[in-house]
Amino acid sequence: MTTLRLGGPASRLVEAPAAEAVVEAVRAADAQDDPVLLLGGGSNVVVADEGFAGTVVRVTSRGAAPQRRPDGSVLLTVEAGEDWDDVVAATVAEGLGGLECLSGIPGRTGATPVQNVGAYGVEVADLLVDVDLYDRRTGVVRRQVPAAELGLGYRTSRLKGRDDAIVLRVRFALPGGRDSAPIRYPELARALGVEQGSRVPAAVAREAVLELRRGKGMVLDPDDHDTWSAGSFFTNPVLPQDEAPRVDGLPRWPAGPGLVKLPAAGLIERAGFPRGHRGPGGRVALSTRHVLALTHRGGGSVADLLALAREVRAGVAARFGVLLHPEPVLVGCRL
């Protein structure tokens, strides 16, 4: 049930096909003092080889409802268990732009605000209105919690790493037209043959994004081991300007007052780790297309994966003095 196809067993698995079923399953586990793990698409999680000694609640709630507002924009309400790329595809098919740069990202919709999912110059924070949450501390469902209260930042939020607030439902505001969000990401602009800041039909942008992601092994394919991964394993480091190493040919981007962001992939490659670099026994490896993805080649373990992650992290730290941080949620294990 993880895209890495790794991780040990759960003591108990409960399918939750509706928001009410999620709340009921979590309340029942809490009443028994049983640990709870919420699982969606399993695309951004690394579960220890020992598994999870508790109840795994698999969120499979369905439903997405667009509502046109007086100003022409669209309020899109989505249940947490909806497949994220299905949601993006449906909005684009209905002539609604805004989410197309987030095409091809695996996982469920409820996870998108937790991680503040982003790609190709757009992130969930740009469009998120509010969420419905189940607060395990109080046993109350909090409705329409504003995005401003979630502490959304680069691939993070106040929800990340917490198990007391469970996303049940998510709402986005879409502009209401057929055009894409402004094309900010240089690679995507080149693929589309447009200037940065331009807009194109959302459907055109979606296809370009999917093609770019396929080229990096970032669209799930059961026959392609490069996609047996948790996506990008390390976040791009954000550092004080005067502490960030200057490396020939390595870009740096503004990341707030006095801060810059460096590309983790560039640091990894320059630290001596090429695409396809193999870990223990060849059972895990960096993707052959994209050094940020740690992939399972078959017959491996989470211990193998973490050994490779530690090797890469140590190599970058030794070469540049930069400590990389994992992007996936680590369950029962750590670097």
mmCIF file of all heavy atoms in Angstrom, residues 100-130:
data_model
loop_
_atom_site.group_PDB
_atom_site.id
_atom_site.type_symbol
_atom_site.label_atom_id
_atom_site.label_comp_id
_atom_site.label_asym_id
_atom_site.label_seq_id
_atom_site.Cartn_x
_atom_site.Cartn_y
_atom_site.Cartn_z
ATOM 1 N N GLU A 100 -3.360 22.700 -12.789
ATOM 2 C CA GLU A 100 -2.714 21.884 -13.823
ATOM 3 C C GLU A 100 -1.216 21.646 -13.594
ATOM 4 O O GLU A 100 -0.685 20.584 -13.959
ATOM 5 C CB GLU A 100 -2.919 22.508 -15.204
ATOM 6 C CG GLU A 100 -2.403 23.924 -15.374
ATOM 7 C CD GLU A 100 -3.231 24.979 -14.652
ATOM 8 O OE1 GLU A 100 -4.461 24.794 -14.547
ATOM 9 O OE2 GLU A 100 -2.640 25.962 -14.177
ATOM 10 N N CYS A 101 -0.517 22.578 -12.965
ATOM 11 C CA CYS A 101 0.918 22.377 -12.720
ATOM 12 C C CYS A 101 1.174 21.324 -11.645
ATOM 13 O O CYS A 101 2.313 20.876 -11.466
ATOM 14 C CB CYS A 101 1.589 23.691 -12.334
ATOM 15 S SG CYS A 101 1.736 24.844 -13.719
ATOM 16 N N LEU A 102 0.126 20.939 -10.931
ATOM 17 C CA LEU A 102 0.231 19.899 -9.903
ATOM 18 C C LEU A 102 -0.231 18.550 -10.438
ATOM 19 O O LEU A 102 -0.553 17.650 -9.670
ATOM 20 C CB LEU A 102 -0.584 20.301 -8.673
ATOM 21 C CG LEU A 102 -0.194 21.648 -8.046
ATOM 22 C CD1 LEU A 102 -1.099 21.967 -6.866
ATOM 23 C CD2 LEU A 102 1.258 21.641 -7.611
ATOM 24 N N SER A 103 -0.245 18.399 -11.762
ATOM 25 C CA SER A 103 -0.637 17.142 -12.399
ATOM 26 C C SER A 103 0.393 16.049 -12.131
ATOM 27 O O SER A 103 1.595 16.315 -11.986
ATOM 28 C CB SER A 103 -0.765 17.338 -13.915
ATOM 29 O OG SER A 103 -1.823 18.196 -14.244
ATOM 30 N N GLY A 104 -0.108 14.804 -12.089
ATOM 31 C CA GLY A 104 0.781 13.654 -12.009
ATOM 32 C C GLY A 104 1.344 13.367 -10.643
ATOM 33 O O GLY A 104 2.116 12.419 -10.484
ATOM 34 N N ILE A 105 0.985 14.150 -9.647
ATOM 35 C CA ILE A 105 1.487 13.923 -8.290
ATOM 36 C C ILE A 105 0.629 12.840 -7.639
ATOM 37 O O ILE A 105 -0.585 12.975 -7.548
ATOM 38 C CB ILE A 105 1.444 15.215 -7.461
ATOM 39 C CG1 ILE A 105 2.399 16.253 -8.065
ATOM 40 C CG2 ILE A 105 1.813 14.946 -6.007
ATOM 41 C CD1 ILE A 105 2.321 17.618 -7.421
ATOM 42 N N PRO A 106 1.246 11.739 -7.193
ATOM 43 C CA PRO A 106 0.454 10.655 -6.611
ATOM 44 C C PRO A 106 -0.041 10.997 -5.213
ATOM 45 O O PRO A 106 0.472 11.919 -4.573
ATOM 46 C CB PRO A 106 1.439 9.484 -6.578
ATOM 47 C CG PRO A 106 2.778 10.147 -6.452
ATOM 48 C CD PRO A 106 2.679 11.424 -7.227
ATOM 49 N N GLY A 107 -1.017 10.234 -4.746
ATOM 50 C CA GLY A 107 -1.514 10.428 -3.389
ATOM 51 C C GLY A 107 -2.939 10.928 -3.366
ATOM 52 O O GLY A 107 -3.577 11.136 -4.400
ATOM 53 N N ARG A 108 -3.431 11.133 -2.155
ATOM 54 C CA ARG A 108 -4.812 11.553 -1.947
ATOM 55 C C ARG A 108 -4.879 13.045 -1.626
ATOM 56 O O ARG A 108 -3.928 13.641 -1.112
ATOM 57 C CB ARG A 108 -5.427 10.730 -0.806
ATOM 58 C CG ARG A 108 -5.365 9.225 -1.042
ATOM 59 C CD ARG A 108 -6.372 8.757 -2.080
ATOM 60 N NE ARG A 108 -6.112 7.396 -2.536
ATOM 61 C CZ ARG A 108 -6.488 6.290 -1.905
ATOM 62 N NH1 ARG A 108 -7.129 6.382 -0.745
ATOM 63 N NH2 ARG A 108 -6.229 5.111 -2.412
ATOM 64 N N THR A 109 -6.041 13.610 -1.854
ATOM 65 C CA THR A 109 -6.207 15.058 -1.709
ATOM 66 C C THR A 109 -5.982 15.528 -0.277
ATOM 67 O O THR A 109 -5.449 16.616 -0.045
ATOM 68 C CB THR A 109 -7.612 15.461 -2.198
ATOM 69 O OG1 THR A 109 -7.730 15.099 -3.574
ATOM 70 C CG2 THR A 109 -7.848 16.947 -2.037
ATOM 71 N N GLY A 110 -6.376 14.723 0.716
ATOM 72 C CA GLY A 110 -6.220 15.140 2.104
ATOM 73 C C GLY A 110 -4.786 15.376 2.514
ATOM 74 O O GLY A 110 -4.513 16.113 3.475
ATOM 75 N N ALA A 111 -3.844 14.772 1.781
ATOM 76 C CA ALA A 111 -2.433 14.956 2.120
ATOM 77 C C ALA A 111 -1.856 16.245 1.545
ATOM 78 O O ALA A 111 -0.800 16.694 1.992
ATOM 79 C CB ALA A 111 -1.621 13.769 1.612
ATOM 80 N N THR A 112 -2.538 16.844 0.570
ATOM 81 C CA THR A 112 -1.922 17.982 -0.126
ATOM 82 C C THR A 112 -1.684 19.201 0.760
ATOM 83 O O THR A 112 -0.631 19.832 0.651
ATOM 84 C CB THR A 112 -2.737 18.369 -1.384
ATOM 85 O OG1 THR A 112 -4.062 18.752 -1.018
ATOM 86 C CG2 THR A 112 -2.767 17.211 -2.363
ATOM 87 N N PRO A 113 -2.602 19.572 1.672
ATOM 88 C CA PRO A 113 -2.275 20.706 2.549
ATOM 89 C C PRO A 113 -1.269 20.343 3.642
ATOM 90 O O PRO A 113 -0.539 21.214 4.119
ATOM 91 C CB PRO A 113 -3.628 21.099 3.150
ATOM 92 C CG PRO A 113 -4.463 19.882 3.069
ATOM 93 C CD PRO A 113 -4.007 19.139 1.850
ATOM 94 N N VAL A 114 -1.228 19.074 4.033
ATOM 95 C CA VAL A 114 -0.278 18.657 5.077
ATOM 96 C C VAL A 114 1.141 18.921 4.613
ATOM 97 O O VAL A 114 1.982 19.453 5.338
ATOM 98 C CB VAL A 114 -0.463 17.164 5.418
ATOM 99 C CG1 VAL A 114 0.575 16.713 6.432
ATOM 100 C CG2 VAL A 114 -1.870 16.906 5.942
ATOM 101 N N GLN A 115 1.419 18.547 3.382
ATOM 102 C CA GLN A 115 2.753 18.686 2.797
ATOM 103 C C GLN A 115 2.922 20.025 2.096
ATOM 104 O O GLN A 115 4.026 20.389 1.709
ATOM 105 C CB GLN A 115 2.965 17.544 1.793
ATOM 106 C CG GLN A 115 4.329 17.459 1.158
ATOM 107 C CD GLN A 115 5.364 16.903 2.107
ATOM 108 O OE1 GLN A 115 5.060 16.524 3.227
ATOM 109 N NE2 GLN A 115 6.605 16.868 1.673
ATOM 110 N N ASN A 116 1.811 20.777 1.924
ATOM 111 C CA ASN A 116 1.793 21.926 1.022
ATOM 112 C C ASN A 116 2.449 21.522 -0.293
ATOM 113 O O ASN A 116 3.481 22.059 -0.701
ATOM 114 C CB ASN A 116 2.484 23.153 1.620
ATOM 115 C CG ASN A 116 2.273 24.393 0.769
ATOM 116 O OD1 ASN A 116 1.364 24.451 -0.054
ATOM 117 N ND2 ASN A 116 3.130 25.385 0.953
ATOM 118 N N VAL A 117 1.824 20.561 -0.929
ATOM 119 C CA VAL A 117 2.349 19.984 -2.162
ATOM 120 C C VAL A 117 2.570 21.078 -3.196
ATOM 121 O O VAL A 117 1.758 21.996 -3.347
ATOM 122 C CB VAL A 117 1.351 18.927 -2.690
ATOM 123 C CG1 VAL A 117 1.630 18.580 -4.136
ATOM 124 C CG2 VAL A 117 1.412 17.681 -1.823
ATOM 125 N N GLY A 118 3.673 20.973 -3.915
ATOM 126 C CA GLY A 118 3.973 21.953 -4.947
ATOM 127 C C GLY A 118 4.805 21.356 -6.058
ATOM 128 O O GLY A 118 5.507 20.369 -5.865
ATOM 129 N N ALA A 119 4.711 21.968 -7.244
ATOM 130 C CA ALA A 119 5.507 21.547 -8.393
ATOM 131 C C ALA A 119 5.370 22.590 -9.491
ATOM 132 O O ALA A 119 4.323 23.222 -9.635
ATOM 133 C CB ALA A 119 5.054 20.180 -8.913
ATOM 134 N N TYR A 120 6.429 22.770 -10.241
ATOM 135 C CA TYR A 120 6.428 23.616 -11.435
ATOM 136 C C TYR A 120 5.862 25.009 -11.158
ATOM 137 O O TYR A 120 5.074 25.558 -11.936
ATOM 138 C CB TYR A 120 5.686 22.916 -12.585
ATOM 139 C CG TYR A 120 6.441 21.673 -13.017
ATOM 140 C CD1 TYR A 120 6.024 20.407 -12.622
ATOM 141 C CD2 TYR A 120 7.612 21.790 -13.761
ATOM 142 C CE1 TYR A 120 6.749 19.275 -12.977
ATOM 143 C CE2 TYR A 120 8.337 20.656 -14.120
ATOM 144 C CZ TYR A 120 7.906 19.407 -13.726
ATOM 145 O OH TYR A 120 8.625 18.293 -14.068
ATOM 146 N N GLY A 121 6.262 25.573 -10.024
ATOM 147 C CA GLY A 121 5.938 26.960 -9.728
ATOM 148 C C GLY A 121 4.609 27.203 -9.060
ATOM 149 O O GLY A 121 4.237 28.359 -8.829
ATOM 150 N N VAL A 122 3.864 26.134 -8.742
ATOM 151 C CA VAL A 122 2.566 26.281 -8.070
ATOM 152 C C VAL A 122 2.572 25.383 -6.842
ATOM 153 O O VAL A 122 3.134 24.289 -6.866
ATOM 154 C CB VAL A 122 1.403 25.874 -9.009
ATOM 155 C CG1 VAL A 122 0.074 25.861 -8.263
ATOM 156 C CG2 VAL A 122 1.325 26.824 -10.202
ATOM 157 N N GLU A 123 1.967 25.850 -5.761
ATOM 158 C CA GLU A 123 1.807 25.003 -4.581
ATOM 159 C C GLU A 123 0.387 25.159 -4.043
ATOM 160 O O GLU A 123 -0.330 26.110 -4.373
ATOM 161 C CB GLU A 123 2.844 25.320 -3.510
ATOM 162 C CG GLU A 123 2.862 26.723 -2.997
ATOM 163 C CD GLU A 123 4.010 26.966 -2.023
ATOM 164 O OE1 GLU A 123 4.969 26.186 -2.013
ATOM 165 O OE2 GLU A 123 3.926 27.962 -1.272
ATOM 166 N N VAL A 124 -0.002 24.188 -3.235
ATOM 167 C CA VAL A 124 -1.359 24.148 -2.699
ATOM 168 C C VAL A 124 -1.717 25.442 -1.988
ATOM 169 O O VAL A 124 -2.853 25.926 -2.066
ATOM 170 C CB VAL A 124 -1.517 22.921 -1.774
ATOM 171 C CG1 VAL A 124 -2.727 23.062 -0.866
ATOM 172 C CG2 VAL A 124 -1.641 21.646 -2.615
ATOM 173 N N ALA A 125 -0.750 26.044 -1.298
ATOM 174 C CA ALA A 125 -1.005 27.290 -0.565
ATOM 175 C C ALA A 125 -1.549 28.396 -1.469
ATOM 176 O O ALA A 125 -2.253 29.300 -0.990
ATOM 177 C CB ALA A 125 0.274 27.764 0.118
ATOM 178 N N ASP A 126 -1.237 28.352 -2.768
ATOM 179 C CA ASP A 126 -1.708 29.385 -3.691
ATOM 180 C C ASP A 126 -3.220 29.333 -3.891
ATOM 181 O O ASP A 126 -3.829 30.332 -4.282
ATOM 182 C CB ASP A 126 -1.033 29.215 -5.062
ATOM 183 C CG ASP A 126 0.478 29.362 -5.011
ATOM 184 O OD1 ASP A 126 0.964 30.066 -4.119
ATOM 185 O OD2 ASP A 126 1.148 28.758 -5.874
ATOM 186 N N LEU A 127 -3.832 28.172 -3.652
ATOM 187 C CA LEU A 127 -5.231 27.964 -4.009
ATOM 188 C C LEU A 127 -6.113 27.500 -2.859
ATOM 189 O O LEU A 127 -7.331 27.502 -2.964
ATOM 190 C CB LEU A 127 -5.307 26.917 -5.138
ATOM 191 C CG LEU A 127 -4.584 27.318 -6.424
ATOM 192 C CD1 LEU A 127 -4.091 26.099 -7.182
ATOM 193 C CD2 LEU A 127 -5.510 28.141 -7.294
ATOM 194 N N LEU A 128 -5.492 27.096 -1.759
ATOM 195 C CA LEU A 128 -6.248 26.532 -0.639
ATOM 196 C C LEU A 128 -7.063 27.604 0.080
ATOM 197 O O LEU A 128 -6.557 28.678 0.409
ATOM 198 C CB LEU A 128 -5.279 25.873 0.352
ATOM 199 C CG LEU A 128 -5.914 25.128 1.525
ATOM 200 C CD1 LEU A 128 -6.673 23.896 1.041
ATOM 201 C CD2 LEU A 128 -4.841 24.720 2.531
ATOM 202 N N VAL A 129 -8.325 27.291 0.327
ATOM 203 C CA VAL A 129 -9.208 28.193 1.075
ATOM 204 C C VAL A 129 -9.282 27.759 2.536
ATOM 205 O O VAL A 129 -8.989 28.526 3.439
ATOM 206 C CB VAL A 129 -10.624 28.215 0.461
ATOM 207 C CG1 VAL A 129 -11.563 29.072 1.311
ATOM 208 C CG2 VAL A 129 -10.579 28.725 -0.956
ATOM 209 N N ASP A 130 -9.680 26.494 2.758
ATOM 210 C CA ASP A 130 -9.806 25.995 4.126
ATOM 211 C C ASP A 130 -9.888 24.475 4.115
ATOM 212 O O ASP A 130 -9.945 23.847 3.046
ATOM 213 C CB ASP A 130 -11.002 26.613 4.855
ATOM 214 C CG ASP A 130 -12.333 26.356 4.153
ATOM 215 O OD1 ASP A 130 -12.571 25.209 3.722
ATOM 216 O OD2 ASP A 130 -13.148 27.287 4.020
#
